[in-house]
Amino acid sequence: MHSSLVRLQNVFGFFTTVAFTIAALVALSVVVSPQTPSASIALRNVQVVKGRPHYYSTTKEEYAHIKFDLEADFTSLFNWNTKQLFVYVLATYPSLSPSSPPSRAIIWDTIIASPSQQHPLNPLELLGLSSTSTPKPPSGTKSKSNAKVAAAPTPKATPKPGVLSLKNVKPKYQITDVSGKLASRGNVTLEVGWNVQPWVGALTWTMREGDGWGRWKGVRGGRSEVFEMPGLKGKKAEPMVGMEGVPRGGEASPVVGV
């Protein structure tokens, strides 16, 4: 005859096995959900300023302030296992040395929560109750609050998560360089990226246009045209040492392999 402790261990072991199996099935089931994201990003304005880009900066250096327009549709990235979506805009520009890889910097990001995160389930609603409900007034009396509620318009349907339509967006983060110089830097591009954070399973990252895996397709668009950093206002930009051979904005195609 097994003791109570052994029986408890068997029940717990069976429970964890079932829970792990269900979690694995949920994580693997998302491969049947098609993903067809699309995005369009365009430069609105770019300025190069010399100063202290951060409050803790001890020296002055050149930093870029980039504004952009963003249109994106990430609704296909949301499914039954999506907790939230992390979206970011990445700026890519060549390094001073042609033999070095291009520099990358995130200038803007946001988190888009799934509908279950935006509107969590209230247990009181299952019982027909609500934490925000007010007691009914005695019969034969009128309540002004009830009259206002009755006259209130019907709330609009919640829009689908993942749709972005942003104009003239200000950057959250400034672009700096280890050399301290950014003026007249050419061959700069902006690119949209994301990271899907599921309830269970592995994180998935951006798939470029042309890439794909099964029913998951790479993003359509998501990269801006090549542009050039302007010079400092009121000052002629100094030639940067080590930039020989690096194409300027009007002479090169976008950076490949970001």
Side-chain angles (χ1 to χ4, degrees), residues 107-188:
I107 64 173
W108 181 86
D109 57 32
T110 187
I111 294 177
I112 306 176
S114 63
S116 58
Q117 285 283 91
Q118 297 176 1
H119 308 286
L121 178 64
N122 187 353
L124 296 178
E125 295 178 355
L126 299 177
L127 303 176
L129 304 175
S130 176
S131 59
T132 59
S133 60
T134 55
K136 296 182 179 180
S139 58
T141 61
K142 295 183 178 180
S143 172
K144 295 182 179 180
S145 59
N146 289 346
K148 292 181 180 180
V149 172
T154 304
K156 297 182 180 180
T158 304
K160 294 183 178 180
V163 177
L164 299 177
S165 182
L166 307 175
K167 301 294 183 182
N168 199 24
V169 183
K170 295 181 180 180
K172 289 185 178 180
Y173 317 106
Q174 316 294 346
I175 297 180
T176 59
D177 192 74
V178 293
S179 65
K181 294 183 179 295
L182 278 176
S184 303
R185 190 76 66 93
N187 201 20
V188 186

Side-chain angles (χ1 to χ4, degrees), residues 98-109:
S99 59
S100 300
S103 300
R104 303 182 181 94
I106 293 178
I107 64 173
W108 181 86
D109 57 32

